[in-house]
C-alpha cells in the first residue's frame, strides 16, 4: 500500500465509516519524509506533478540566515538542532525541518558586525597582532560613516551573550525536503526569550 493523502479513508466527524466508492488516485499520493540530517550536502531531485522538480535534501550542513534587525544575511554552518515543538525525536536525531530551532556558527555575523560598526562583539580576548577589522586603517570618509552607524549599533544582551559563546540560535524558515535548502533567521527579542525559556525548562 502506498502513502496516500486522501481523507476518504478517515471516519466522518460523527464517527461513521465512509463508503469506499473509489480506489486511490495518483493525484492523492504522498512520499516518504526526507528526514534531512546534518552532514555534507546531499540532494536528490524528485519529478513531481506537472513535470516540476522538487529538491529532496538528505544532508545539509550550511544555510543562509538573516539577521533581521541589522538587515544582513550570511551563509553559516549548522551545528545542531536544539528544539522542535512537534517532536523530541527530531532533536535527538538532528533532523532539519521547517520551524526547527538550531544552533549556527556566529563567526560570519561577528565578522560582518565588526567590519560594519568597527565595534567588538562576542570577543573573549584581545585580537592578535596584525590587520584586524577594528584597528585597520580607514579613510576619513569611511570613519565618518562608521561613527554615524554606531548610534544604531545596539545589540540586545541575550544575543550578545550568544556571540560570546560562538553559537547563535536560529529558526529554519525554508522546507529542506522540498526546496533542498535550510535557510532561516536569527532569533531576537520576545521570540528569543520564548525559546531560551523552553530550552531551560527542558534541562531542568
Amino acid at each position: 500500500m502506498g502513502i496516500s493523502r486522501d481523507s476518504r479513508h478517515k471516519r466522518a466527524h460523527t464517527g461513521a465509516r465512509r463508503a469506499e466508492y473509489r480506489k486511490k488516485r495518483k493525484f492523492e499520493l504522498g512520499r516518504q519524509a526526507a528526514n534531512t540530517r546534518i552532514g555534507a550536502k546531499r540532494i536528490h531531485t524528485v519529478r513531481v506533478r506537472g513535470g516540476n522538480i522538487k529538491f529532496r535534501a538528505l544532508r545539509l550542513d550550511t544555510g543562509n540566515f538573516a539577521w533581521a534587525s541589522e538587515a544582513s544575511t550570511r551563509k553559516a554552518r549548522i551545528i545542531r538542532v536544539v528544539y522542535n515543538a512537534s517532536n523530541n525525536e527530531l532533536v535527538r536525531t538532528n533532523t532539519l525541518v521547517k520551524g526547527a530551532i538550531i544552533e549556527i556558527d556566529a563567526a560570519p555575523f561577528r565578522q560582518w558586525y565588526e567590519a560594519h560598526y568597527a565595534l567588538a562583539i562576542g570577543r573573549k580576548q584581545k585580537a592578535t597582532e596584525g590587520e584586524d577589522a577594528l584597528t585597520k586603517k580607514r579613510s576619513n570618509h569611511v570613519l565618518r560613516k562608521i561613527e554615524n552607524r554606531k548610534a544604531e549599533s545596539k545589540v540586545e544582551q541575550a544575543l550578545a551573550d550568544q556571540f560570546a559563546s560562538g553559537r547563535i540560535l536560529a529558526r529554519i524558515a525554508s522546507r529542506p525536503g522540498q526546496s533542498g535548502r535550510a535557510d532561516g533567521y536569527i532569533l531576537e527579542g520576545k521570540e528569543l526569550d520564548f525559546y531560551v525559556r523552553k530550552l531551560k525548562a527542558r534541562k531542568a
Side-chain angles (χ1 to χ4, degrees):
M1 300 292 285
I3 299 171
S4 184
R5 289 166 39 253
D6 72 311
S7 58
R8 285 174 292 104
H9 69 284
K10 306 281 280 185
R11 285 177 179 262
H13 69 92
T14 58
R17 283 185 66 115
R18 289 200 176 102
E20 199 171 317
Y21 64 91
R22 74 176 187 198
K23 293 185 178 180
K24 294 183 179 183
R25 296 291 188 259
K26 179 82 164 69
F27 56 78
E28 293 169 343
L29 68 79
R31 297 184 181 86
Q32 291 285 346
N35 291 327
T36 309
R37 303 291 164 83
I38 297 173
K41 184 163 86 168
R42 188 191 307 166
I43 298 172
H44 287 183
T45 56
V46 181
R47 193 269 187 193
V48 297
R49 188 170 167 86
N52 296 305
I53 299 290
K54 283 185 179 179
F55 298 95
R56 187 81 79 233
L58 305 178
R59 301 274 187 282
L60 288 174
D61 56 359
T62 57
N64 292 323
F65 293 91
W67 188 356
S69 63
E70 296 291 344
S72 174
T73 301
R74 290 291 175 273
K75 183 178 180 180
R77 183 171 59 89
I78 298 169
I79 298 169
R80 67 186 182 119
V81 179
V82 294
Y83 183 79
N84 192 307
S86 64
N87 192 346
N88 287 338
E89 191 70 7
L90 300 179
V91 178
R92 189 184 68 79
T93 55
N94 274 331
T95 302
L96 302 175
V97 294
K98 180 175 178 173
I101 305 302
I102 59 174
E103 279 184 350
I104 61 172
D105 184 17
F109 295 97
R110 182 179 59 78
Q111 289 164 359
W112 173 85
Y113 184 91
E114 292 181 351
H116 192 69
Y117 292 112
L119 292 171
I121 185 170
R123 291 202 180 199
K124 291 180 181 174
Q125 63 220 16
K126 289 183 181 176
T128 54
E129 291 296 317
E131 183 102 327
D132 181 45
L134 305 181
T135 59
K136 75 174 186 179
K137 193 166 174 150
R138 294 178 170 92
S139 68
N140 289 334
H141 174 67
V142 172
L143 287 173
R144 283 196 303 275
K145 278 207 307 189
I146 288 174
E147 283 303 315
N148 290 334
R149 286 175 188 161
K150 283 183 180 178
E152 302 164 1
S153 63
K154 185 80 175 112
V155 175
E156 62 181 301
Q157 190 57 46
L159 191 55
D161 293 342
Q162 288 183 37
F163 272 104
S165 70
R167 298 179 173 196
I168 312 173
L169 290 178
R171 185 176 190 271
I172 297 178
S174 66
R175 300 171 70 195
Q178 310 287 319
S179 65
R181 302 169 68 99
D183 299 341
Y185 59 89
I186 292 174
L187 296 180
E188 299 179 85
K190 290 183 178 177
E191 191 175 16
L192 174 58
D193 296 339
F194 174 82
Y195 285 112
V196 167
R197 281 200 308 275
K198 288 283 187 186
L199 293 171
K200 281 181 180 173
R202 177 165 291 176
K203 288 177 184 174

